[in-house]
Amino acid sequence: MRRAQAIAVLLAMTLMVAGSAPVVAQDQGDSSLNLIRSFPTVDTVETRPDARGMVLREAQTFDPDAIERALAANASGAVPKTVFPPDERSRVSPAYNQIARLVILDRYGYGIGHCSGSIIGPNTVLTAAHCLYSAESGWVAGIAIIPGEDGAIRPFGYVLASWMLVSAGWQESFSPAWDWAIVTTEVMIGNVTGWLELGVLSSASLSSGTLDLITVGYPGDKPDGTQWETSGRGLEDVTDAFLVSRLDIFYGQSGSGIIRRQDSRVIGVWSVGTPDINVAVRVHELMIVDLLAGCAEVGCSFAYWVEPPNPADAFSRTWARTDAPVAAGIVSRTWMWGPKPFDARFEPYVESPGGQRAVAYFDKSRMEVTNPYGDQNSPWYVTNGLLVGEMVTGLLQTGDAKFEPRNPAAVNIAGDIDDTVGPMYSTFRGLLTSPALFPGQSVNQRVDRMGNVWVDPNMDWYGVTAAYLVEVPNLRHTVASPFWAFMNSSGLVFDGNSTTWAQLFENPFYATGYPIAEAYWATVKVGGTQHDVLIQCFQRRCLTYTP
């Protein structure tokens, strides 16, 4: 039963994440999608050592009259897609600027079909690889891109492709798992139309039944050059490579994006369909790596966003290492953090993505994830905030070098809540620069609530000594022997699969931080009775010892 309770505690440690900021809507008439008007930040283009790479082809140039003739044709692509009765597609008029019709050209400038694509950067359009390169015909000769085409209206005219790039995996296998590609344009058309951002989402986010989706493109069964959309909630299936859906699409929509409505991020690229499902290639990190490698060669750029891991998972792992065995009744020892978090939120921090970092408050500490994209295998991925330092000094840290002044906390460090004798956090403000004891020296100093310090020889009887001197920039104090023993102790811990014997803390200062003051004896009311209690405050928490 207690094991079940421990598991329940783990499952309960979820973080309430604030919703994304609302996007600014374009004037799209009755359309249901609010595509962002702003221009997402394009990311640094560099060749990654683990990139599989892209296969490049320079597009052919064409006579303008031939292009106009090709644009008049309404031939769609030949890869099957399915509209599931009843047909729930609706026309978008005026059309979205960031969605383009891609007219496929042969070497004579004739239009031989069309696909759809998403503008994802100043000169970059995302589409399907089979629109550009096939096993039967090889490369197409060129592509004419028409952003925001709305029947006879072409608000931006058309631009020609300069480069066509398909995944190397597509050229080698023609597997739908590699069916993505980009087309670069001769002019920076995205600087006029705006562009969308690719979104690399976790499988958990993609598998949510409430995921609000929309897709927009140019189906070949509708009037020439008209843009259509369909929407729905949830996906039928999510794999490492594919997103399976019953959103309605048709020939000509190959290369259209699946878009998450809440932030207009493209999370998939339509590839193939069957009578029962339509299948898109999932936008994943390997795709991003390959696209970056390709853009590094031809001088394009695009915008992408990688969803950070859920900080609640990291908080749970950190808590479970030492406190899951306590919750399950396997060991009898003090909580290292507490039974469960009593608050979880995002708080301002300059260096964190979006200026906000995830925090969770426990009885004995505050956990933080400052860099959600860091190494999750590092014990320092989750840090334990300098909460005690903030409470003692009154300086709330909101960035690596940014602090907001507050009052020191007039809150008891230990003992009963109604104790009026024992020291408070504010008591230690005047003790931060007190000289350090020498290792081996008896710890016999007392402190009262007002911060007065004196030597009490009676405390020598307890045999507590200064055990370990900590010297770091702007800090020099000695850890008292009971606390140093605790910080280096071993016991049963949960390693993610089972309990094992190990050090409670992989680094002795992980949970506490460095000492910000010496250890002092104090008179503290505990359970209604006065006791001698040894108190030492560290950056992250105050430790107490009652003989």
Side-chain angles (χ1 to χ4, degrees), residues 287-362:
M287 180 190 296
I288 300 298
V289 168
D290 280 353
L291 294 179
L292 285 171
C295 275
E297 294 191 56
V298 299
C300 61
S301 58
F302 62 94
Y304 71 91
W305 174 81
V306 180
E307 181 181 25
N310 186 346
D313 296 336
F315 293 150
S316 295
R317 289 194 301 270
T318 301
W319 174 89
R321 175 178 167 80
T322 54
D323 281 358
V326 178
I330 299 173
V331 297
S332 178
R333 63 176 178 234
T334 183
W335 296 99
M336 303 301 168
W337 314 103
K340 62 182 179 179
F342 60 82
D343 191 15
R345 65 179 80 153
F346 284 93
E347 293 182 348
Y349 200 83
V350 173
E351 281 75 20
S352 293
Q356 298 280 321
R357 68 176 173 186
V359 300
Y361 286 89
F362 292 77

Side-chain angles (χ1 to χ4, degrees), residues 3 320-322 324-325 330 491-502:
R3 289 177 185 270
R321 175 178 167 80
T322 54
I330 299 173
L492 284 176
V493 299
F494 182 68
D495 64 5
N497 296 304
S498 60
T499 54
T500 185
W501 190 270

Side-chain angles (χ1 to χ4, degrees), residues 17 103 108 113 183 226 304 322 325 356 391 402 428 484 507 518:
V17 179
V103 178
Y108 303 108
V183 175
T226 56
Y304 71 91
T322 54
Q356 298 280 321
M391 295 176 73
K402 184 178 180 182
F428 277 75
W484 188 239
N507 180 297
E518 293 297 298

Side-chain angles (χ1 to χ4, degrees), residues 276-296:
D276 300 315
I277 56 171
N278 287 318
V279 179
V281 184
R282 175 179 176 175
V283 174
H284 47 68
E285 292 192 51
L286 178 58
M287 180 190 296
I288 300 298
V289 168
D290 280 353
L291 294 179
L292 285 171
C295 275

Side-chain angles (χ1 to χ4, degrees), residues 40 150 267:
D150 187 11
I267 62 173

Side-chain angles (χ1 to χ4, degrees), residues 445-504:
Q445 298 180 100
R446 293 188 74 95
V447 66
D448 64 15
R449 194 174 183 87
M450 302 305 296
N452 300 307
V453 175
W454 68 97
V455 173
D456 183 353
N458 292 323
M459 297 299 101
D460 293 336
W461 185 83
Y462 291 122
V464 175
T465 61
Y468 185 83
L469 178 63
V470 176
E471 291 185 280
V472 296
N474 304 315
L475 191 152
R476 187 177 189 273
H477 291 292
T478 307
V479 181
S481 53
F483 304 137
W484 188 239
F486 166 73
M487 293 158 64
N488 288 277
S489 61
S490 298
L492 284 176
V493 299
F494 182 68
D495 64 5
N497 296 304
S498 60
T499 54
T500 185
W501 190 270
Q503 278 196 290
L504 297 184

Side-chain angles (χ1 to χ4, degrees), residues 198-541:
L198 301 184
V200 180
L201 271 60
S202 68
S203 294
S205 293
L206 291 170
S207 300
S208 170
T210 62
L211 184 65
D212 201 355
L213 302 171
I214 195 162
T215 188
V216 184
Y218 290 88
D221 63 332
K222 298 296 185 181
D224 292 1
T226 56
Q227 198 180 86
W228 293 73
E229 69 180 15
T230 185
S231 61
R233 285 189 178 272
L235 293 161
E236 298 296 309
D237 194 16
V238 175
T239 73
D240 289 343
F242 299 114
L243 304 179
V244 179
S245 174
R246 287 179 63 85
L247 289 175
D248 292 331
I249 56 174
F250 197 75
Y251 298 107
Q253 282 187 258
S254 291
S256 294
I258 299 183
I259 299 170
R260 183 167 71 165
R261 189 193 300 273
Q262 72 183 62
D263 52 18
S264 299
R265 289 188 170 113
V266 179
I267 62 173
V269 184
W270 287 117
S271 174
V272 297
T274 74
D276 300 315
I277 56 171
N278 287 318
V279 179
V281 184
R282 175 179 176 175
V283 174
H284 47 68
E285 292 192 51
L286 178 58
M287 180 190 296
I288 300 298
V289 168
D290 280 353
L291 294 179
L292 285 171
C295 275
E297 294 191 56
V298 299
C300 61
S301 58
F302 62 94
Y304 71 91
W305 174 81
V306 180
E307 181 181 25
N310 186 346
D313 296 336
F315 293 150
S316 295
R317 289 194 301 270
T318 301
W319 174 89
R321 175 178 167 80
T322 54
D323 281 358
V326 178
I330 299 173
V331 297
S332 178
R333 63 176 178 234
T334 183
W335 296 99
M336 303 301 168
W337 314 103
K340 62 182 179 179
F342 60 82
D343 191 15
R345 65 179 80 153
F346 284 93
E347 293 182 348
Y349 200 83
V350 173
E351 281 75 20
S352 293
Q356 298 280 321
R357 68 176 173 186
V359 300
Y361 286 89
F362 292 77
D363 290 347
K364 298 191 176 185
S365 187
R366 179 182 70 203
M367 292 188 190
E368 303 164 343
V369 174
T370 301
N371 176 19
Y373 299 106
D375 180 8
Q376 294 188 70
N377 294 319
S378 168
W380 302 102
Y381 179 80
V382 173
T383 54
N384 300 288
L386 308 181
L387 183 59
V388 170
E390 294 175 355
M391 295 176 73
V392 170
T393 64
L395 295 176
L396 175 66
Q397 188 170 14
T398 57
D400 291 350
K402 184 178 180 182
F403 299 85
E404 295 182 4
R406 300 283 194 275
N407 292 322
V411 176
N412 292 338
I413 292 176
D416 298 344
I417 193 170
D418 62 347
D419 183 15
T420 59
V421 178
M424 303 178 292
Y425 287 95
S426 56
T427 301
F428 277 75
R429 187 176 188 181
L431 306 178
L432 302 180
T433 58
S434 298
L437 299 178
F438 296 106
Q441 186 174 349
S442 177
V443 176
N444 57 11
Q445 298 180 100
R446 293 188 74 95
V447 66
D448 64 15
R449 194 174 183 87
M450 302 305 296
N452 300 307
V453 175
W454 68 97
V455 173
D456 183 353
N458 292 323
M459 297 299 101
D460 293 336
W461 185 83
Y462 291 122
V464 175
T465 61
Y468 185 83
L469 178 63
V470 176
E471 291 185 280
V472 296
N474 304 315
L475 191 152
R476 187 177 189 273
H477 291 292
T478 307
V479 181
S481 53
F483 304 137
W484 188 239
F486 166 73
M487 293 158 64
N488 288 277
S489 61
S490 298
L492 284 176
V493 299
F494 182 68
D495 64 5
N497 296 304
S498 60
T499 54
T500 185
W501 190 270
Q503 278 196 290
L504 297 184
F505 307 110
E506 297 175 70
N507 180 297
F509 298 105
Y510 175 75
T512 63
Y514 296 130
I516 61 174
E518 293 297 298
Y520 297 92
W521 293 96
T523 300
V524 177
K525 186 171 73 168
V526 181
T529 305
Q530 302 290 341
H531 290 272
D532 287 329
V533 176
L534 184 68
I535 299 173
Q536 186 162 23
C537 286
F538 296 74
Q539 294 168 315
R540 307 185 189 282
R541 66 175 69 183

